[in-house]
Amino acid sequence: MASTKAPKTAPVDADVPIDYRTIERVSGPLLFVRDVERAAYGEIVSIELPNGDRRQGQVLDSRRGLAIVQVFGPTMGMNVHQTSVKFMGEVARLPVSDEMLGRVFNGLGEPRDGGPRIVSEQRLEIVGNAMNPYSREEPSEFIQTGLTNIDVMNTLVRGQKLPIFSGAGLPHNQIAAQIVRQAKLRDSTENFAVIFAAMGITSEEANFFLKEFESTGALERTVVFLNLSSDPSMERIITPRMALTTAEFLAYERDMHILVVLTDMTNYCEALREVAAAREEVPGRRGYPGYMYTDLATLYERAGKIHGRKGSITQLPILTMPADDITHPIPDLTGYITEGQIVASRELQRRGVYPPIDVLTSLSRLMNQGIGKGRTRDDHRGVADQLYASYATGKDQRALSAIVGEEALSSVDRIYLKIAERFETEFVGQRPDEDRTIDESLAIGWDLLSALPEAELKRVKPEFIQKYYKSRPAA
Amino acid sequence: MAGAVARVSGPVVIAEGLTNAKMFDVVRVGELGLVGEIIKLVGETATVQVYEDTTGIRPGDKIETTGQALSVELGPGLLKSIYDGVQRPLDVLQKNLGDFITRGFVAAPLDETKKWEFTATARVGSELTPGTILGTVQETPLILHKIMVPPEVRGTLTALSSGTYTIREKIGTMKGPAGEIPLTLTQRWVVRLPRPVQQKLAPTIPLLTGQRVIDTFFPVAKGGTAAIPGPFGSGKTVTQQQLAKWADSDVVVYVGCGERGNEMTEVLATFPNLVDPKSKRPLMERTILIANTSNMPVAAREASVYTGITIAEYYRDMGYDVALMADSTSRWAEAMREISGRLEEMPGEEGYPAYLGRRVAEFYERAGRVVTLSPDQRTGSVTVVGAVSPPGGDFAEPVSQNTLRVTRVFWALDASLASRRHFPSINWLQSYSLYTGDLEEWYRTGIARDWASLRQRAIQTLQQESELQEIVQLVGVDALPEREKGILDVSRMLREDYLQQSAYDEVDTYTSIQKQYRMLRAILSFGEREQEAIGKGATVGQLQQLPVRQKLSRMKWIPEADLTNSFDQLEAEMTQSVAQLATES
């Protein structure tokens, strides 16, 4: 996080900013400004249009006599002669204060709810410095989401970044809303807040979330940054940084536990690509810029916990995979940065299962630190592994039985087939308002596993079989 | 020789007026003195990649060259350190800068105040050649640090005395052709140049890792190279960490290159608590960590693998076996691509620079078991294990392909195994090791005469299984003759009771090579007995019901201390109960 005091990281020229009226070219979201000698890389720019409108921008490339400025907003109405460009001598900053809770801002951090502007001594650089890996604290506190599938199989922990990979038409918003509503630490009611950053989502989706927060009374503990699909796409590059800067302030200076929902990261990446194309950069895969990995990392890596500070930042980014393709650059690069992924499945959706989360492709990389004795329950790891294996086997049997018929399966295989069925309906499936405790969830797991002969339970330690296995009278 | 910034675009800065600048010289940019490196020269215009965020840098800012190429400082105090990609100690950064890394801070790589007990061993008056040991420092209880004459330095030793020194104090002097050379406990080396050696040796000794699938099926030699490509979520990082923990090398260098902060933290949190299985000392006493997470500057990420391998070579030169883990080389290649893109170079495949293949090959070529540059013909080795993260799990992409061309072991991580919770998820049909031939002699004389044939039989069984599975897909298991069901039974035991190994289980996490041999022998001889019994009319179903089967599947939990006894007993019980079943049927 940026220093909270003097802006010592960016040299600021004390002299009054000069107006430049030397725009050479306007190309997409970019302005090419001539005769600028000393624009700083990343400097904020204020642009005044002939009709008096103002826009903000940022220097992307600076050389003697030319600055390339990326405009946050439409370039409509700009012309080369009368538009004036003012270099502000500092990098982008966001005033932060406690007053932000309960407020709705636009993608650039300006009030959208008719309320007053945030006035604060503290203006933080929105491009945060990298957290020293040595200062990080290993995330290990179990967050109970009340969704069996996530809690047992892909456990979320405080300080983790766990994206939802979804597709068009899948209920990722409902899942995210349910997580936000139900997420809690076991036996704890600590200082908790939600930061919601929307990038290019429709007003209907935005309203769904706002209503959701309102109806659960969560709005006072929420900060919303809204960039709708009708808003300028370039703002989207700033929006998540605004949200994360606010999150860092609340987490590390106000000791709050922050859940950041970023949706939809696909739109963010498209905006990045738009800028790269306008600059005529050498494109990487599918036209996305070669630095997209680094760029995404500077967002996602702002999740975490710090030794000696109370607060934490947990991220729940949502992205829609174009054509449900998990190898597309956006989910692919995201998956390499985040600590796992929750994958929504169209197949389960068609089978009428809610939440349609596919266990086999989902993963939580920080799960092991958050589960087990003292955190969830001693048998958690074994149960999760056994369920995974059983479901995978059951799905294989399902494919096989489609060819050879169920009768050709061995008796054990038929049990697996049934388990896969029950796994989807009883274990994964639950009502959108159903909040299961971890013990309830594990009990459902044992209920399923108890259908198997004891010898099949190779991943569970014998002592736990003794304790939890419900032996059935032979049928 | 100060020049001025002419252009700034992301991590790339173009400077004018830098007279006498040389390629790969380190420069300091702007008032903050950001560290950068010259990567292109046209006249007096130099292109610089900057290892720190360039926000706020503007044309006209001063830029100065240090006249020296990017180098690391080598000496006592390296072990137990945690560095960023350009050898800045992260703990020192935290003390001085707080929890977030701000820019322009220079930190000495090694503790300059710590006193080291130096024992001189070289004789004053003797002629010294590169690599001669001047004396020793007990760096940690595990590693005796040998202070060596730097490569390219030779002459007569004129003064040297034992005593306590800091790394900045003079321990003696040498007289060379060009005059007097002061000696200290440290030396510097340019990271992009391999440290010279006398001769490379054949890879005939395995690097034992305690991981069954690796040591038994796909071993890597000391001084060898291995690649672990794997799509995300296939257990790549866990596998590498297991290697770092358990491989029988003297020194471990772990480079976290462009990886997740929280995962690096896991390494930073778990390593100091790990106990070396042989010495029972903390593992950190023989470990150096380099952490340049994905959100840290991209140019420093590019440098991090070179920093790591140079440190590894330095310990090799002392005569140690060093294992270097690079996680992940794809992130390194992407850093190259990103910088190449900023330079507006003509891209090769998928936007990667045309020199990608050369850079990858040069890096892996720095591995090897060698006779070091030394009068006493010391041998040492650097084993390199590089993780590759192919986008979308597609091995056809340039980084994987260029890596596979130069590495000799391939551990193919398989996401479908991972999703079944088969760990380590190394696919036994796709993986290979080209060292098995070189290492056969070692296994034959060191472990057992029948090692190679056991291994071969196990691989064959697994191969047969995959062929039989295709038939099963069509006709179902019940249609197979009993003998083939037996093969499926044994291969399932191989998969579940041998290849699967839990990194999180206290006992199972490490299996000695002796225990591996006994486990493999137990499973295969059960397979033999099984076939015999089937010949006499027993069914696989009956064999699976035998109580000894339970014991076989719990073999992994047999303690190392009680190895021979337990396995002898188990094998006896197995032979007896299968034979009994055979006579009953």
Side-chain angles (χ1 to χ4, degrees), chain A residues 1 9 38 41 61-62 64 130 132 136 138 293-294 301 306 309 332 335-336 338-339 365 388 396 459, chain B residues 7-8 56-59 61 90 99-101 103 233 258 260-262 331 338 390-392 419-421:
Chain A
M1 185 181 55
T9 49
R38 297 205 63 199
Y41 178 71
D61 190 329
S62 170
R64 289 210 168 131
N132 189 331
R136 274 184 192 271
E138 204 177 4
Y293 176 80
T294 307
E301 281 293 342
I306 297 182
R309 302 206 200 194
D332 194 53
Y336 274 123
T338 55
E339 287 118 2
R365 290 168 175 273
Y388 240 103
D396 285 351
R459 323 226 168 194
Chain B
R7 179 182 173 186
V8 48
I57 298 291
R58 52 185 84 212
D61 283 358
L90 289 175
D99 296 328
F100 293 85
I101 300 175
R103 301 173 297 158
R260 304 174 182 85
N262 278 334
R331 307 279 91 91
E338 196 171 324
S419 72
R420 260 151 234 255
R421 288 299 183 255

Side-chain angles (χ1 to χ4, degrees), chain A residues 70-89:
Chain A
Q70 169 194 348
V71 184
F72 303 127
T75 44
M76 183 189 270
M78 289 192 187
N79 64 1
V80 293
H81 299 301
Q82 284 128 325
T83 305
S84 90
V85 181
K86 198 187 277 179
F87 291 84
M88 306 304 284

Side-chain angles (χ1 to χ4, degrees), chain A residues 1 8-13 37-43 60-64 89 91 127 129-139 153 159-161 165 248 252 279 282-285 290-291 293-294 297-298 301 303-304 306-307 309 326-327 331-333 335-339 341 360 363 365-366 368-369 381 385 388-389 392 396 400 403-404 408-410 455-456 458-459 461-462, chain B residues 4-10 16 32 53-61 82 90-91 93-94 98-103 230-234 236-237 258-266 268-270 291 293-296 298 301 331 334 337-338 341-342 344-345 347 350-351 389-393 419-422 472-478 492 496-497 500 504-505 550 553-554 557:
Chain A
M1 185 181 55
K8 62 177 177 221
T9 49
V12 178
D13 273 8
E37 286 302 318
R38 297 205 63 199
Y41 178 71
E43 187 172 347
L60 279 189
D61 190 329
S62 170
R63 59 190 97 171
R64 289 210 168 131
V91 297
V127 179
N129 287 313
M131 199 191 284
N132 189 331
Y134 194 74
S135 299
R136 274 184 192 271
E137 189 178 323
E138 204 177 4
M153 310 300 281
Q160 185 174 14
K161 39 195 180 294
F165 288 4
E248 283 170 345
Y252 303 135
R279 291 183 68 186
V282 179
R285 268 199 302 157
Y291 49 80
Y293 176 80
T294 307
T298 58
E301 281 293 342
I306 297 182
H307 279 297
R309 302 206 200 194
I326 201 167
T327 68
D332 194 53
L333 295 180
Y336 274 123
I337 304 165
T338 55
E339 287 118 2
Q341 66 276 339
L360 296 186
L363 172 78
R365 290 168 175 273
L366 299 182
N368 279 321
Q369 283 93 301
R381 179 81 260 170
D385 284 352
Y388 240 103
D396 285 351
L400 189 58
I403 304 170
V404 298
L409 300 180
S410 71
E456 290 288 314
K458 290 197 175 182
R459 323 226 168 194
K461 287 201 175 156
Chain B
V5 172
R7 179 182 173 186
V8 48
S9 164
E16 285 172 347
L32 287 169
D53 183 29
T54 53
T55 299
I57 298 291
R58 52 185 84 212
D61 283 358
I82 300 162
L90 289 175
D91 50 343
L93 294 186
Q94 187 207 22
D99 296 328
F100 293 85
I101 300 175
T102 48
R103 301 173 297 158
F232 62 74
S234 59
K236 171 172 54 69
T237 309
E259 284 292 304
R260 304 174 182 85
N262 278 334
E263 243 162 45
M264 221 45 238
T265 303
E266 195 196 329
L268 301 187
T270 51
T293 55
S294 54
N295 56 336
M296 285 157 79
V298 66
R301 191 198 307 165
R331 307 279 91 91
E334 276 161 19
R337 172 166 74 179
E338 196 171 324
R342 302 272 189 186
E344 296 171 2
E345 289 173 342
E350 291 194 20
S389 327
S419 72
R420 260 151 234 255
R421 288 299 183 255
H422 177 116
V472 171
Q473 294 287 325
L474 294 173
V475 298
V477 182
D478 290 338
R492 183 171 162 187
E496 294 184 357
D497 303 330
Q500 282 185 22
Y504 299 103
D505 185 278
Q550 291 275 351
S553 64
R554 305 248 145 93
W557 288 299

